[in-house]
Amino acid sequence: DDEKFWSKKDMTLEKTSKFALENALDFIALGFKPENTKIIIDTKNIKTLYPIAAQFAKRINFSNTKAVFGFENETNIGMIFYTSLQSAPCFIEDMPVLIPFGVDQDPHFRITRDIAPKINKPKPALIHNIMIPALGGPKGKMSASNENETIYTTDSPEVVKKKINKYAFSGGQPDIEEHRKKGGNPDIDVSFQYLRIFFEPDDKKLQQIHDDYKSGKMLTGELKEILIEKINKFLAIHQQKREDARSQLDEFLFKD
Amino acid sequence: DDEKFWSKKDMTLEKTSKFALENALDFIALGFKPENTKIIIDTKNIKTLYPIAAQFAKRINFSNTKAVFGFENETNIGMIFYTSLQSAPCFIEDMPVLIPFGVDQDPHFRITRDIAPKINKPKPALIHNIMIPALGGPKGKMSASNENETIYTTDSPEVVKKKINKYAFSGGQPDIEEHRKKGGNPDIDVSFQYLRIFFEPDDKKLQQIHDDYKSGKMLTGELKEILIEKINKFLAIHQQKREDARSQLDEFLFKD
């Protein structure tokens, strides 16, 4: 979460450290095991990261970061240095590395792969994950910094219901009559997309919802109701596990 | 010594860390006390330095470093970030700070003073020290990276003698006859300058050497002989203290 510190004026390192730990609770709640999972926080593990980052930083110049990230002369020098820190965890242990990441982080790991052979390290392999659309529509990505566009794992059932009903971008028609006639568009409907990506593992059921919504048989409100129920069912269990995870957190933290 | 890592292609962090510890031995030998003296090494104390450096880095952009240090698009991003780390030790403790430094480091501490109020810290006060001329002449500064231009605190008496006789830039005339007639120029003579800066605390004696050299009464060889004897007398004691300092080194190192 350091990148938020560099890119947002009012963000403090205290806040980003807290975010990192809160995110960690979600990982633990999802079943990651401390034997296989180490959480690295730049400010906390800088003793391990910095010497590796320094090897990287020496081999990247401002022009490279300009070309890859579109940095400008007004970019702060922490943000400029940051890609070195982002690369460092790949080389803490001397073994092949696989990095799953949101596709927006691709430029960082392109640089990582470019530099790795120059410091006699194996290139990490990459898995690009799609971005989750924001509630507001398929064009934005879900981002923690925009409250109304995002379902947090800590949201209450009422908040989830309100956010989906109020903000989830709909592929439906302006009124019921027209919807029944023309049908909705599940490809741009955010509620349908969340079901597809996260909450409806049964492909047949998903196809049924798709067809019913597209034909106009299912209304936007009904689709949203399905999603709200699924999310809240998931969150009820997740939030319990997430609270239980607090006592385990320390086991997951990487020790320099 | 990190700056050498960033600026020199073949320099490693292992070497710069070793340099830092070797430099530390000289400080200890000169009588600094562990109660008042803490040695901070960027790679070793990064846990303390990084969060402070980050506050700085966020408030400096590439344009600033371009204006202050003459950085270019080809400057590596470690060097770009480095001024933040150079500033950090001034703010480890919340008290007024006085920084004595070689005048070539002035740009770093100008930035430090500019940023300090923006992070609610007092501006450090600065003492600018002159650079010691290189053996080769009054235009260069003595630099550890140029062996023949520099007397190291670890040089043997023979090496000191050879370096002064062979490399110390002379303000004298091409031959003895001319020297006796026209006299030498102590203002550009490196041996005289070393006596002035370091090795002749008695102002009257120094003035006598100055006048004798200027009048041609004292030859360059005689002047060099005085300097060689002074340096070797100093180094004999210093090198002994320097070796004794090894066992004390750990007491001086800053602990995060």
Side-chain angles (χ1 to χ4, degrees):
Chain A
D1 282 310
D2 268 30
E3 200 166 3
K4 291 194 185 74
F5 172 73
W6 299 119
S7 62
K8 286 171 208 239
K9 202 167 176 296
D10 295 327
M11 190 57 66
T12 64
L13 285 178
E14 291 70 35
K15 278 191 211 166
T16 56
S17 280
K18 210 169 159 265
F19 286 165
L21 295 175
E22 288 293 318
N23 289 344
L25 295 177
D26 287 313
F27 280 100
I28 301 170
L30 290 170
F32 284 76
K33 298 282 165 241
E35 306 89 76
N36 313 322
T37 312
K38 288 298 161 216
I39 291 159
I40 295 167
I41 300 177
D42 288 355
T43 42
K44 302 273 180 298
N45 299 121
I46 191 73
K47 203 179 167 71
T48 299
L49 299 177
Y50 180 74
I52 307 172
Q55 303 302 328
F56 263 74
K58 193 168 174 174
R59 289 162 178 87
I60 304 167
N61 65 31
F62 182 66
S63 284
N64 303 143
T65 67
K66 219 170 155 177
V68 175
F69 303 108
F71 286 168
E72 297 173 353
N73 284 7
E74 288 64 42
T75 305
N76 75 61
I77 65 176
M79 184 62 123
I80 295 172
F81 182 71
Y82 174 69
T83 194
S84 320
L85 278 176
Q86 174 90 317
S87 297
C90 307
F91 306 102
I92 287 178
E93 296 185 359
D94 218 353
M95 53 170 71
V97 168
L98 175 67
I99 312 170
F101 59 94
V103 65
D104 62 338
Q105 295 298 306
D106 177 63
H108 286 294
F109 296 110
R110 297 242 165 182
I111 287 197
T112 311
R113 281 174 56 87
D114 281 352
I115 306 292
K118 298 183 188 168
I119 60 165
N120 297 315
K121 301 280 186 183
K123 288 187 182 197
L126 310 179
I127 294 183
H128 294 73
N129 293 311
I130 59 166
M131 310 307 296
I132 308 307
L135 287 176
K139 273 169 197 154
K141 70 158 181 163
M142 196 180 269
S143 158
S145 48
N146 192 341
E147 269 184 47
N148 293 335
E149 300 272 301
T150 302
I151 305 284
Y152 297 101
T153 57
T154 51
D155 281 345
S156 70
E158 295 71 36
V159 169
V160 170
K161 188 174 177 182
K162 192 189 132 192
K163 281 185 180 173
I164 297 292
N165 279 330
K166 188 164 175 187
Y167 299 112
F169 184 84
S170 163
Q173 304 301 337
D175 59 55
I176 294 182
E177 203 175 324
E178 208 179 330
H179 189 84
R180 291 286 188 214
K181 201 154 53 184
K182 296 187 182 166
N185 181 356
D187 295 339
I188 61 166
D189 187 281
V190 166
S191 301
F192 181 77
Q193 294 305 317
Y194 286 9
L195 285 175
R196 182 179 69 80
I197 297 168
F198 285 123
F199 294 108
E200 185 46 82
D202 183 331
D203 284 351
K204 273 192 196 159
K205 284 189 189 166
L206 190 70
Q207 189 62 46
Q208 191 62 53
I209 294 169
H210 178 275
D211 296 346
D212 287 353
Y213 190 62
K214 196 163 187 175
S215 71
K217 189 175 160 194
M218 182 180 282
L219 297 175
T220 298
E222 292 166 332
L223 176 59
K224 286 188 171 186
E225 208 174 317
I226 296 172
L227 179 65
I228 292 165
E229 202 194 313
K230 293 258 185 191
I231 293 179
N232 282 338
K233 206 169 150 188
F234 167 77
L235 284 185
I237 299 166
H238 183 78
Q239 286 171 1
Q240 184 56 55
K241 286 186 185 164
R242 203 174 173 284
E243 284 313 304
D244 297 345
R246 288 190 192 275
S247 62
Q248 274 185 275
L249 195 50
D250 190 64
E251 289 178 71
F252 282 84
L253 298 179
F254 179 82
K255 305 288 190 293
D256 287 294
Chain B
D1 281 310
D2 267 31
E3 199 166 3
K4 291 194 185 74
F5 171 73
W6 299 119
S7 63
K8 286 171 207 238
K9 200 167 179 297
D10 295 327
M11 190 57 66
T12 64
L13 285 177
E14 290 71 34
K15 277 192 211 166
T16 55
S17 279
K18 209 168 161 266
F19 286 164
L21 294 176
E22 289 293 318
N23 289 345
L25 294 177
D26 286 314
F27 280 98
I28 301 171
L30 290 170
F32 283 77
K33 300 282 166 239
E35 305 88 76
N36 312 323
T37 311
K38 288 299 161 212
I39 292 160
I40 294 168
I41 301 177
D42 288 353
T43 42
K44 302 275 180 297
N45 300 121
I46 192 72
K47 200 178 168 70
T48 299
L49 300 176
Y50 179 74
I52 307 171
Q55 304 301 328
F56 264 73
K58 193 169 176 173
R59 288 162 178 87
I60 305 168
N61 66 30
F62 182 66
S63 285
N64 304 142
T65 67
K66 219 169 156 177
V68 176
F69 303 108
F71 287 168
E72 297 173 353
N73 284 8
E74 288 64 43
T75 303
N76 76 61
I77 64 175
M79 185 62 123
I80 294 171
F81 182 72
Y82 174 67
T83 195
S84 320
L85 278 175
Q86 176 90 317
S87 296
C90 307
F91 306 102
I92 287 179
E93 296 184 2
D94 219 353
M95 53 170 72
V97 168
L98 175 66
I99 312 171
F101 58 95
V103 66
D104 62 338
Q105 296 297 308
D106 176 63
H108 285 294
F109 297 110
R110 296 243 167 181
I111 286 197
T112 311
R113 281 174 55 88
D114 281 352
I115 305 293
K118 298 183 188 168
I119 61 166
N120 297 315
K121 301 279 187 183
K123 289 187 181 197
L126 311 179
I127 294 183
H128 294 72
N129 292 312
I130 58 166
M131 310 307 295
I132 307 308
L135 286 177
K139 273 170 199 154
K141 69 158 184 165
M142 196 180 268
S143 159
S145 48
N146 191 341
E147 269 185 48
N148 293 336
E149 300 272 303
T150 302
I151 305 284
Y152 296 101
T153 57
T154 50
D155 281 345
S156 69
E158 296 70 37
V159 169
V160 170
K161 187 174 176 179
K162 191 188 131 191
K163 280 185 181 173
I164 297 292
N165 280 331
K166 188 165 174 186
Y167 299 111
F169 185 83
S170 163
Q173 304 301 336
D175 59 57
I176 293 182
E177 205 176 325
E178 209 180 331
H179 189 85
R180 290 287 186 212
K181 203 156 49 185
K182 298 187 182 167
N185 181 356
D187 295 338
I188 61 166
D189 187 282
V190 166
S191 301
F192 180 77
Q193 294 305 317
Y194 287 8
L195 284 174
R196 182 179 69 81
I197 297 169
F198 285 124
F199 295 108
E200 184 47 81
D202 184 330
D203 283 351
K204 273 190 195 162
K205 284 189 189 167
L206 189 69
Q207 189 63 45
Q208 191 63 52
I209 294 169
H210 178 276
D211 296 347
D212 287 353
Y213 190 62
K214 195 162 188 178
S215 71
K217 190 176 160 192
M218 181 181 282
L219 298 173
T220 297
E222 294 166 332
L223 174 60
K224 286 189 171 185
E225 208 174 315
I226 296 171
L227 178 66
I228 292 165
E229 202 194 313
K230 293 258 186 192
I231 293 179
N232 282 337
K233 206 170 151 189
F234 168 77
L235 285 185
I237 299 166
H238 183 79
Q239 286 170 2
Q240 184 56 53
K241 285 186 187 165
R242 204 175 173 282
E243 284 313 303
D244 297 345
R246 288 189 193 275
S247 62
Q248 274 184 274
L249 196 49
D250 189 64
E251 288 177 72
F252 282 84
L253 298 179
F254 180 81
K255 305 290 191 292
D256 286 296

